Amino acid sequence: TFSVQGGLEVEHGQSSDSLGQVDYTLVGLPLSVTYDSTDSLLDPTRGIRATASVAPYPEFMGSDPGIVVARAQASTYYALDEDARYVLAGRLAVGSITGAALDEIPSNRRFYAGGGGSVRGYEYRSLSPVDAFGEPIGGRSLIEGSFEARIKVTDTIGIVPFVDAGTAFESSFPDFDETIRVAAGLGLRYYTAIGPIRLDVAVPVNPRPGDPAAAFYISLGQAF
């Protein structure tokens, strides 16, 4: 139910976007802690699953820029009946990058929201601050949340109404200058011996111009 991971990471690269070109070297000691009391990896019905990670890339170890990347996510599951035919599930995730300005951080290290494992209904990595042309540039902080009601109609078929919300922010901590984007949808589950096969259809509630009218997702296992 409890585990700790740590290591040494070295990365050197170059990223380029509308904010400019960043030549970077990151040398750090990523550390993560996980707690999991759920009853299933792919289809939890009871318990809590939480992960917190921090990755410092200090300048004295040779990093340029010197940043600290932190992220935490927790989800909880509550069965309303003994057979777990009715399950409520919720998820909350937050992230923060400190130590450098947004244009000094490599674009691949910034936070983005949107997509099947984030805010369904919006394009993958599309929710963040944007440049003058409306293209996502990523952020230094992130907040996401999801709520699902998992209902088994039969032993093999289930439906899941859900709501997702979230976005990334330019500041190192969520200041809510960006609009929280919300999506709602309905999922179909086919339960197999190895876990549920998931089909989700999501619709943006407060879309921006150019956002899709709907999005479809197929995968093995629950969304979280």
Side-chain angles (χ1 to χ4, degrees):
T1 59
F2 183 78
S3 63
V4 179
Q5 288 185 317
L8 172 66
E9 180 181 3
V10 180
E11 180 178 329
H12 178 75
Q14 181 184 92
S15 71
S16 182
D17 63 4
S18 61
L19 296 184
Q21 179 177 298
V22 178
D23 297 289
Y24 66 93
T25 300
L26 297 176
V27 183
L29 301 168
L31 175 69
S32 66
V33 179
T34 301
Y35 173 79
D36 191 343
S37 65
T38 60
D39 55 355
S40 171
L41 178 63
L42 295 178
D43 186 23
T45 62
R46 295 174 173 86
I48 296 172
R49 184 176 292 161
T51 300
S53 64
V54 60
Y57 303 98
E59 292 181 348
F60 68 81
M61 291 184 64
S63 294
D64 181 21
I67 58 175
V68 177
V69 182
R71 184 183 173 99
Q73 175 170 298
S75 54
T76 184
Y77 312 89
Y78 181 73
L80 299 177
D81 63 310
E82 186 176 346
D83 295 331
R85 300 183 70 87
Y86 304 92
V87 178
L88 301 180
R91 177 186 72 94
L92 179 66
V94 293
S96 174
I97 303 174
T98 58
L102 184 64
D103 59 357
E104 298 173 331
I105 300 170
S107 59
N108 61 309
R109 293 284 178 161
R110 301 172 197 157
F111 289 116
Y112 304 81
S118 176
V119 183
R120 288 164 284 186
Y122 296 87
E123 292 184 2
Y124 177 63
R125 290 167 61 93
S126 66
L127 301 182
S128 81
V130 297
D131 61 18
F133 303 99
E135 295 298 320
I137 56 175
R140 292 189 295 168
S141 60
L142 172 78
I143 188 167
E144 296 174 344
S146 299
F147 176 78
E148 293 189 346
R150 301 173 180 173
I151 303 167
K152 274 192 173 182
V153 179
T154 70
D155 289 339
T156 56
I157 301 295
I159 59 173
V160 181
F162 61 86
V163 176
D164 295 339
T167 194
F169 306 89
E170 184 175 348
S171 58
S172 289
F173 300 96
D175 57 8
F176 299 96
D177 278 353
E178 298 290 326
T179 300
I180 299 293
R181 298 297 168 182
V182 180
L186 184 65
L188 178 67
R189 303 291 183 269
Y190 178 72
Y191 293 91
T192 71
I194 60 173
I197 297 174
R198 173 169 68 102
L199 169 62
D200 287 339
V201 181
V203 176
V205 173
N206 56 342
R208 306 155 300 180
D211 282 329
F216 301 84
Y217 306 92
I218 301 175
S219 69
L220 178 65
Q222 300 284 8
F224 57 89

